[in-house]
Amino acid sequence: MELAQFCASSRVVIVAGKGGVGKTTVAATLATAAARTGASVLVVEVEGKSGLATCFGVPSLDYEDTEVRPGLRVRTLTPDDALLEYLDDRGLQRISRRMVASGTLDIVSTAVPGMRARPVVELLVGAPAETWAALPDLRAKLVTLGYEDRGDGGTPGRVLFQRRTLRAFDLMVVEYEGPVWQEQLRQRDALRAANAAT
């Protein structure tokens, strides 16, 4: 079968398999080959890993698609962003902003029936107020360790980092005993109480 005929025979190709078998390489190669035949290609990454971005020479993938080559676009699809888009499309921006500000977005976006929970280690790091001047150095060091700097996520007083490897890490750096620290501890205590009640 000719490559152009193969690429035209399917509208959707899913590349799946166990870890380390070459899914990312196959997906990137197939997408590049299809684009070279003139097909319009969108590669959607759903695991939260950065290997696909590296294959296409981009620093990271975003929820919005990015053209990396003529006819070839890539994007990532995360439960958080999908939920926010869903709420925004239905005129529920106030709810989505509150979920982001309160930190409940992570809980709700992974509590969808039928969706398996994300294996994420969530870390809260409290930094004394006097160390915030050194925050740019800390941010740079975390990026060199493989963390993606996600900014404040719309909530001043915190900096979010993510690292997606075999185990995913979400790291939130906040002012120790500041308002965001206190809010996170309240949420932790509420979750513990709810878990103890069941």
Side-chain angles (χ1 to χ4, degrees), residues 24-34 56:
T24 301
T25 303
V26 169
T29 303
L30 211 70
T32 300
F56 291 117

Side-chain angles (χ1 to χ4, degrees), residues 23-158:
K23 296 183 301 290
T24 301
T25 303
V26 169
T29 303
L30 211 70
T32 300
R36 286 182 181 161
T37 69
S40 177
V41 180
L42 173 63
V43 180
V44 180
E45 186 277 323
V46 295
E47 286 188 323
K49 297 180 182 175
S50 61
L52 197 57
T54 304
C55 286
F56 291 117
V58 294
S60 64
L61 301 181
D62 293 319
Y63 189 70
E64 298 298 322
D65 58 278
T66 304
E67 187 169 51
V68 292
R69 296 195 174 98
L72 176 54
R73 298 177 334 273
V74 295
R75 69 177 286 190
T76 188
L77 183 62
T78 64
D80 295 0
D81 290 326
L83 178 60
L84 290 176
E85 181 181 25
Y86 176 86
L87 292 171
D88 288 348
D89 287 350
R90 282 147 185 83
L92 301 170
Q93 293 87 357
R94 272 184 64 201
I95 292 174
S96 65
R97 282 193 302 270
R98 181 67 183 140
M99 288 173 69
V100 169
S102 69
T104 58
L105 176 64
D106 227 21
I107 298 164
V108 173
S109 66
T110 58
V112 177
M115 179 186 286
R116 66 178 188 158
R118 293 184 304 172
V120 176
V121 176
E122 295 181 346
L123 305 169
L124 177 66
V125 176
E130 59 272 10
T131 64
W132 278 84
L135 194 57
D137 293 336
L138 173 64
R139 291 173 90 155
K141 286 178 184 171
L142 285 169
V143 168
T144 62
L145 292 172
Y147 284 89
E148 179 184 355
D149 187 335
R150 306 285 296 201
D152 68 6
T155 302
R158 72 177 185 180

